[in-house]
Amino acid sequence: MRVVVTGGAGFIGSNFVRGRLAGSADEIVVLDKLTYAGRLENLRDVAADPRFRFVQGAIEDPDAVAGALEGVDAIVNFAAETHVDRSISEPDAFVRTHALGTFVLLEAARAHALRYLQVSTDEVYGSIEEGSFTESSPLEPSSPYSATKAGADLLVASYQRTFGLHTLICRGSNNYGPYQYPEKLIPLMVLNALAGDRLPVYGDGRNVRNWLFVEDFAAAIGFVLDHGRPGETYNVGGPDECENLAVVRRILELCGRDDSLIEYVTDRPGHDRRYSLASEKVRALGWSASMRFEAGLERTVTWYRENEWWWQPIRSGAYRDYYLRQYGFTLGP
Ligand code: NAD
Ligand code: DAU
């Protein structure tokens, strides 16, 4: 199959591309705008593969999309603005990419009768105190990030019902692992702990997330692309749930630091308390998570320790200004 992977220079997209080139005969075209979160470094080890091609462009640009689509069979759309905090301070790009960008991709998929897989998130369901969300739970998003992702999901579903497009939606829980930009909880805490910087914990630190190793999510998306039923949505939850504070304390241990680096900071507005997904439907297709959180976290800390080439340019660039705006304090030298 020839697949266009939009947002393939980001964290999950690049892991998907790597896994797919290694485990299938697919040819892959990555279409990516290269925002601050999209980095060719994420694709460095597949760049020379003859089955791989990179096109720089935005999903909301119909010409860029048309240019990437020649001869393809499917679109897998990872392209998104993905950080909840940024959606609170600067929501514009979230609306543009998730609403307009998804629309442009759907129109292109319709014109060429392509299979279309939308990568979505558990955040579209909102927060849940007890139990787990199924695919038929109502959508109650809390942030501009999750609201625009939910809107995109609804648009995708409408193209299936109205135009008969072969659509699929995968809603993943919190991913972690190699190549994740250090604005997200785990890589931010790992790099700060390694450097001896403060670790900013929002609110009381008791929010719960359902952790999913990135290679497991990438494999599930491939599974759904190959075996999913057209028009269906599949939840993909991780095997373990954990409070933020427990995650942060374990990272400190793995980095040889103590709790004195923890700094409690003002809570995120509209902060969802807990996410939890029921994933029976995707398991019935034959997928299951292979990585438990404890082992995956150790592997992730090791990866960041060993790949300073990847994160050093981020920590020394514009990221420092973002960090000051977001947290009100700076990183060490
Ligand atoms: P990321 O921020 O690491 O990467 C996003 C990628 O999309 C970047 O390469 C960026 O350059 C590209 N992009 C952004 N806007 C674009 C546009 N308008 N046109 C083309 N490319 C654009 O994100 P991620 O964490 O890898 O998330 C990928 C997808 O998975 C997103 O749709 C996200 O909502 C979803 N998701 C993420 C998680 C998670 O925990 N990170 C969990 C579930 C679902
Ligand atoms: O659940 C899936 C979602 O997971 C994805 O759709 C999003 O793209 C992804 O960003 C992620 O959203 P979260 O808001 O859950 O992830 P984040 O890493 O931003 O935060 C995880 C938890 O940690 C959350 O409760 C907020 C808290 N946190 C986060 C940061 C960055 C802190 O306490 N301190 C921090 O500095």
Side-chain angles (χ1 to χ4, degrees):
M1 183 159 39
R2 187 179 289 178
V3 185
V4 165
V5 178
T6 58
F11 163 51
I12 307 173
S14 62
N15 276 284
F16 175 80
V17 168
R18 193 171 297 108
R20 208 67 192 174
L21 286 171
S24 79
D26 283 357
E27 290 174 38
I28 304 246
V29 180
V30 165
L31 174 67
D32 198 296
K33 188 176 180 175
L34 296 183
T35 67
Y36 73 95
R39 303 180 70 218
L40 290 176
E41 288 91 329
N42 297 353
L43 295 163
R44 191 173 77 161
D45 52 346
V46 298
D49 191 312
R51 288 183 290 133
F52 172 80
R53 186 161 76 90
F54 178 79
V55 178
Q56 183 168 4
I59 59 169
E60 63 273 23
D61 174 355
D63 294 336
V65 170
L69 280 187
E70 244 185 64
V72 311
D73 307 292
I75 299 175
V76 180
N77 180 27
F78 290 91
E81 293 291 335
T82 59
H83 193 36
V84 173
D85 295 327
R86 290 186 195 251
S87 85
I88 295 166
S89 53
E90 288 171 88
D92 323 32
F94 291 72
V95 177
R96 195 173 320 114
T97 295
H98 303 171
L100 186 56
T102 304
F103 163 69
V104 169
L105 291 178
L106 286 167
E107 278 295 301
R110 181 157 85 99
H112 299 279
L114 306 179
R115 193 177 307 183
Y116 181 91
L117 190 152
Q118 177 78 356
V119 181
S120 185
T121 168
D122 58 1
E123 298 202 13
V124 297
Y125 299 116
S127 189
I128 188 166
E129 289 289 325
E130 285 176 6
S132 302
F133 290 119
T134 70
E135 289 81 358
S136 49
S137 299
L139 303 190
E140 291 181 18
S142 306
S143 68
Y145 164 69
S146 51
T148 50
K149 289 293 289 184
D153 284 10
L154 294 176
L155 195 61
V156 171
S158 80
Y159 270 63
Q160 197 277 326
R161 288 190 203 116
T162 306
F163 304 116
L165 190 69
H166 182 147
T167 63
L168 298 153
I169 298 175
C170 276
R171 294 189 177 133
S173 62
N174 278 67
N175 277 230
Y176 68 102
Y179 302 97
Q180 187 169 31
Y181 194 84
E183 63 190 350
K184 308 285 164 49
L185 180 77
I186 288 182
L188 185 147
M189 297 298 172
V190 171
L191 295 187
N192 284 19
L194 291 175
D197 283 321
R198 287 177 276 175
L199 276 59
V201 170
Y202 295 163
D204 63 4
R206 306 290 304 275
N207 303 68
V208 172
R209 295 294 182 262
N210 182 185
W211 292 103
L212 173 63
F213 192 64
V214 63
E215 290 172 15
D216 278 332
F217 189 38
I221 291 165
F223 234 91
V224 170
L225 181 66
D226 294 335
H227 306 294
R229 277 190 42 207
E232 295 290 324
T233 295
Y234 295 88
N235 285 347
V236 186
D240 298 292
E241 294 182 14
C242 200
E243 282 186 359
N244 292 343
L245 210 44
V247 175
V248 169
R249 290 201 166 117
R250 184 65 187 130
I251 289 171
L252 284 165
E253 266 173 32
L254 290 168
C255 295
R257 303 283 185 180
D258 65 43
D259 285 13
S260 62
L261 286 181
I262 293 177
E263 171 128 345
Y264 289 92
V265 298
T266 309
D267 208 354
R268 172 186 282 172
H271 195 174
D272 286 333
R273 194 65 172 167
R274 174 172 173 264
Y275 298 137
S276 179
L277 286 181
S279 311
E280 279 74 17
K281 196 169 159 184
V282 71
R283 277 202 217 100
L285 285 184
W287 172 88
S288 63
S290 63
M291 185 71 82
R292 298 297 301 267
F293 187 52
E294 176 58 31
L297 190 58
E298 270 194 59
R299 204 168 127 184
T300 303
V301 170
T302 303
W303 188 86
Y304 282 93
R305 255 190 214 287
E306 292 176 351
N307 288 282
E308 189 172 342
W309 70 272
W310 183 88
W311 54 259
Q312 212 282 334
I314 298 174
R315 288 229 342 158
S316 56
Y319 176 76
R320 298 178 84 84
D321 302 331
Y322 158 76
Y323 201 89
L324 183 61
R325 277 199 308 280
Q326 177 63 26
Y327 297 104
F329 53 87
T330 48
L331 298 166

